Amino acid sequence: MKAFREILSWVIPILVGLLIAVGIRTYWFTMVKVDGSSMEPNLTSNERVFVFRTGKIETSKIHRGSVIVFDAYGEDPSATENKDYVKRVIGMPGDTVSAVDGVIKVNGKTVDQEYISEAEQKATNTINDVGNWNSLAQLGNRQGWEGDKTIKVPAGKYFVLGDHRSVSNDSRYWGFVDDDKVLGVVKVPFWGNEVKRNNINSAWKSYFE
C-alpha cells in the first residue's frame, strides 16, 4: 500500500500537468507551422508560431494589422478541404478599403506598410492584373467574388492580404473571411528575429501613417 501511495504521489501531478497543458492548448493557444511563402519576408514556410485563440485573452484580440490563421475552406473557392491560411487583416467590419498603385487606404486613411518592400506594396495592384480599386465592391465585381461585393467590409468579416503580395492568394481574389473561420491571432515567439517579430506582433499598433 505504501508503494502504491508513492506511485500515486508522482503519477497524479503528472496527470494534472498534462490536463492543464491540454486545456491551455485547446482553449488559449496552440502552435502552427506556416505552410507556403505568402507571408514572406515576415513569416517563412515551415516556421512555427503561436496562435492565440480569439476571444480568450487580451493577446488574441483582432486589430487592423493583426496576422491571423483561418480555415480557408468555404472562403477561397480553390480550397476543396479544410486548410489553414495565414494572412494580415487589412479591413475590419465596417471599414472601406481602397488600393491605388500600392497605396492602401482604410476609411480614407493611408496604411503604413513599412513591414514589406515597396515592390511588394505595388504588387498589391500590379500582379495578376488585379488593378487599382477605389472600393471593395469594384474589386469584387472585377474579380468575380462569389460572396458579398459591398462597399464596406460586412459585419463579422475581415479583408485580408498576405505580406508577399506578388504570390499571396488572399481577399483580392475571393473576398472576405468570416469571423467563425478564424482560429486565432499569430504571435512570433520571443526567440524569433526581432524585426520580423515586431512586424507580426506589433504592426497593428502603428497601422496608419
Side-chain angles (χ1 to χ4, degrees):
M1 181 62 72
K2 183 179 180 180
F4 179 70
R5 284 198 298 268
E6 287 180 354
I7 292 173
L8 286 179
S9 70
W10 59 264
V11 168
I12 290 176
I14 291 174
L15 291 175
V16 170
L18 287 172
L19 288 172
I20 292 173
V22 170
I24 290 174
R25 183 179 175 86
T26 301
Y27 295 104
W28 288 346
F29 73 86
T30 186
M31 290 198 77
V32 300
K33 184 171 70 173
V34 178
D35 181 16
S37 61
S38 73
M39 284 299 294
E40 290 181 351
N42 295 307
L43 293 175
T44 56
S45 189
N46 296 318
E47 180 176 353
R48 292 191 177 275
V49 294
F50 289 112
V51 176
F52 289 85
R53 299 187 185 279
T54 53
K56 302 300 181 183
I57 52 178
E58 184 70 22
T59 308
S60 69
K61 285 189 175 180
I62 297 176
H63 306 269
R64 299 183 192 95
S66 294
V67 176
I68 61 172
V69 177
F70 61 94
D71 180 9
Y73 181 66
E75 309 294 80
D76 174 10
S78 70
T80 57
E81 59 184 6
N82 298 106
K83 183 175 178 59
D84 289 340
Y85 282 13
V86 182
K87 307 292 178 186
R88 189 181 297 272
V89 174
I90 300 298
M92 298 282 287
D95 285 346
T96 62
V97 181
S98 65
V100 177
D101 298 331
V103 177
I104 295 177
K105 292 187 177 182
V106 173
N107 301 327
K109 299 171 66 175
T110 301
V111 175
D112 184 350
Q113 298 183 82
E114 288 189 0
Y115 50 82
I116 58 175
S117 68
E118 185 176 343
E120 286 304 320
Q121 292 178 39
K122 290 183 176 179
T124 304
N125 302 104
T126 57
I127 200 71
N128 296 328
D129 297 321
V130 169
N132 295 331
W133 74 84
N134 295 310
S135 74
L136 292 170
Q138 181 185 27
L139 176 65
N141 286 319
R142 181 186 301 157
Q143 295 297 318
W145 294 355
E146 293 182 359
D148 299 312
K149 303 178 186 70
T150 55
I151 298 293
K152 295 182 178 181
V153 180
K157 296 181 183 293
Y158 305 99
F159 182 84
V160 302
L161 296 176
D163 286 356
H164 195 179
R165 304 277 167 77
S166 54
V167 303
S168 177
N169 175 23
D170 50 40
S171 285
R172 289 173 292 178
Y173 304 108
W174 37 258
F176 306 109
V177 174
D178 195 283
D179 185 63
D180 290 341
K181 291 285 188 173
V182 178
L183 174 63
V185 176
V186 172
K187 298 293 180 183
V188 173
F190 67 87
W191 58 81
N193 175 276
E194 183 179 2
V195 173
K196 295 181 179 181
R197 185 171 70 246
N198 289 336
N199 287 344
I200 295 298
N201 297 0
S202 305
W204 65 270
K205 295 179 180 180
S206 56
Y207 188 66
F208 295 108
E209 289 186 347

